[in-house]
Amino acid sequence: MRKLISLFAAVFFASFVLLYVSALLNKTEGYSGKNTLTVYNWGDYIDPALIKKFEKQTGIKVIYQTFDSNEAMMAKIAQGGTTFDVAVPSEYAISKMKEEGLLIPLDHSKLPNLKYINPRFLNLSFDPGNKYSVPYFWGTVGIVYNPEMIGGKKITSWNDLWDKDLRNQILLVDGAREVIGMGLNSLHYSLNDTNKKHLQEAKEKLDRLTPNVKAIVGDEIKMLLVNEEAAIGVVWSGDAAEIIAENDKLDYVVPKEGSNLWFDNMVIPKTAKNIEGAHQFINFMLDPKNAAQNAEYVGYSTPNEKALDYLPKEVTEDKRFYPDFESVGNLEVYENLGKRMLAYYNELFLQFKMHRK
Ligand code: N2P
């Protein structure tokens, strides 16, 4: 009998231990240790073959997760429950994450391939000295459109999109800064405007665009435009490049009122558990051949000068996607407008989305 009681006690105790361990594991979803690395990136933003190659080369297993906006990514990292070893925010998000203590400084001695990056992408104001971030892709926001579907019209400006003939023809990228920004730019205001009157005006102007807006979508925007489900898309330049590669009837234009110039960069968030592996991954992505392969696969423009040698000339000489820095004078980089202002942009974007329903 006694034996039976102690057996019961042992089983009881063991199940407690199991429960506790599984609770711990749940608390930190994604358990990067020495041999795993959790990478948090935008959707459709890496050649999966490169992940395989990295795993083979290093013996590190990659857990790959995606997000579709800087806002969603920052919220998840700030929350802290999940391990992320590498993330890929845009510039204003990097500035905000730095401010909130969400980033770990990089060890440049572990990133020898940083020398391949064109210096014009280094030492930018959101991260002097690249203390926390190194360039991944860059580009603009603009309009990709199918002239055949709109009676041969040429689009050159944001204001062209309000044309009554374009009913139900426009797809918008699902991004608060991008959509509010296009409202602001169409009124000749700055993309970093913090005047609430101007912002309200931009929101009202966007509401008037509603009859022309077919949908606000994520990465499926590419497929929809390639398949000619709509004539016009407001997109990031790399998506436009990818779309045009699949359907060359479309063209891409950066509107004349001005637009956004953006830089996405790799960082190591505070949630990292495998800091050594994170540096290895970042350095791997900075390798010119890997960077070229990645650019070719996703369609975005690489800041890696040496990688350009491995890409077709038709790609690197296409001024729509590799504009000269002199010619991007009317473009603005998003600034970190502070927690409250960024929340206000998100709020207006949400209201605009609701207005459509
Ligand atoms: C790729 C998203 C690119 C983000 N799907 C541009 N900042």
Side-chain angles (χ1 to χ4, degrees):
M1 186 64 180
R2 221 188 238 165
K3 249 192 189 155
L4 209 59
I5 290 176
S6 55
L7 187 66
F8 263 124
V11 170
F12 193 66
F13 180 70
S15 45
F16 252 108
V17 170
L18 267 177
L19 263 177
Y20 182 71
V21 169
S22 73
L24 262 186
L25 283 178
N26 273 339
K27 215 172 141 214
T28 39
E29 296 163 43
Y31 1 95
S32 310
K34 245 184 149 104
N35 286 314
T36 54
L37 186 79
T38 307
V39 176
Y40 198 28
N41 200 355
W42 296 81
D44 287 356
Y45 220 31
I46 200 165
D47 177 354
L50 286 168
I51 300 178
K52 289 254 150 57
K53 184 176 170 194
F54 175 79
E55 288 181 323
K56 223 167 140 195
Q57 221 170 62
T58 59
I60 296 173
K61 160 131 190 52
V62 173
I63 300 165
Y64 193 76
Q65 295 193 29
T66 60
F67 56 84
D68 53 18
S69 72
N70 281 299
E71 288 65 31
M73 176 270 306
M74 285 191 281
K76 187 97 188 190
I77 286 177
Q79 205 182 308
T82 314
T83 295
F84 294 115
D85 298 301
V86 176
V88 189
S90 310
E91 62 305 295
Y92 72 98
I94 291 171
S95 159
K96 183 162 188 272
M97 291 170 90
K98 258 170 40 178
E99 215 170 80
E100 293 176 4
L102 294 177
L103 300 179
I104 293 176
L106 301 174
D107 180 348
H108 283 208
S109 74
K110 293 184 174 150
L111 305 173
N113 291 336
L114 191 52
K115 63 173 178 283
Y116 297 118
I117 298 290
N118 182 327
R120 78 185 209 192
F121 298 104
L122 296 174
N123 202 21
L124 298 177
S125 65
F126 58 89
D127 185 22
N130 293 86
K131 225 176 131 195
Y132 297 94
S133 66
V134 300
Y136 186 69
F137 283 124
W138 69 285
T140 54
V141 170
I143 302 170
V144 66
Y145 71 106
N146 189 326
E148 258 178 35
M149 290 177 72
I150 54 170
K153 266 190 204 146
K154 214 174 147 76
I155 289 185
T156 56
S157 84
W158 289 120
N159 280 292
D160 288 341
L161 300 185
W162 274 261
D163 184 334
K164 280 193 202 56
D165 292 342
L166 299 179
R167 212 180 164 85
N168 225 13
Q169 283 298 352
I170 304 175
L171 298 173
L172 298 178
V173 62
D174 192 1
R177 294 292 300 254
E178 285 73 14
V179 174
I180 301 296
M182 122 185 179
L184 288 167
N185 269 165
S186 76
L187 294 161
H188 300 277
Y189 293 141
S190 161
L191 286 177
N192 296 306
D193 205 322
T194 56
N195 179 325
K196 288 200 173 174
K197 247 204 188 131
H198 294 170
L199 284 159
Q200 200 57 44
E201 224 182 297
K203 190 304 190 157
E204 278 158 24
K205 176 141 187 198
L206 287 169
D207 286 345
R208 291 197 293 278
L209 185 67
T210 296
N212 290 358
V213 178
K214 181 164 186 163
I216 302 174
V217 280
D219 287 322
E220 62 275 30
I221 201 165
K222 287 178 282 188
M223 193 251 312
L224 292 169
L225 288 159
V226 168
N227 293 340
E228 309 191 349
E229 302 278 343
I232 299 172
V234 172
V235 295
W236 291 299
S237 49
D239 281 1
E242 185 67 20
I243 290 162
I244 293 169
E246 304 269 325
N247 182 343
D248 62 8
K249 284 188 208 151
L250 286 106
D251 198 4
Y252 177 71
V253 63
V254 175
K256 62 176 183 231
E257 297 95 333
S259 188
N260 167 235
L261 174 67
W262 54 263
F263 307 97
D264 288 345
N265 300 261
M266 295 178 277
V267 300
I268 304 182
K270 258 272 146 52
T271 55
K273 293 237 168 71
N274 188 354
I275 294 175
E276 180 59 38
H279 282 92
Q280 274 175 272
F281 183 82
I282 292 172
N283 197 51
F284 174 87
M285 294 310 295
L286 291 171
D287 171 86
K289 283 205 172 124
N290 294 340
Q293 181 179 332
N294 204 27
E296 185 136 42
Y297 184 91
V298 299
Y300 276 80
S301 308
T302 178
N304 192 308
E305 186 69 23
K306 183 82 186 130
L308 299 180
D309 295 345
Y310 302 111
L311 286 166
K313 276 227 164 5
E314 312 89 80
V315 171
T316 59
E317 285 175 359
D318 189 333
K319 293 283 176 248
R320 293 173 300 180
F321 305 115
Y322 283 92
D324 305 317
F325 251 30
E326 303 77 64
S327 73
V328 296
N330 62 340
L331 300 183
E332 283 178 288
V333 179
Y334 297 137
E335 280 162 26
N336 170 15
L337 305 174
K339 218 182 173 106
R340 292 178 59 173
M341 217 0 104
L342 289 176
Y344 189 63
Y345 270 67
N346 291 339
E347 169 67 29
L348 287 178
F349 182 48
L350 218 71
Q351 282 175 21
F352 166 63
K353 285 194 194 178
M354 305 277 276
H355 178 90
R356 301 187 54 247
K357 301 235 164 88

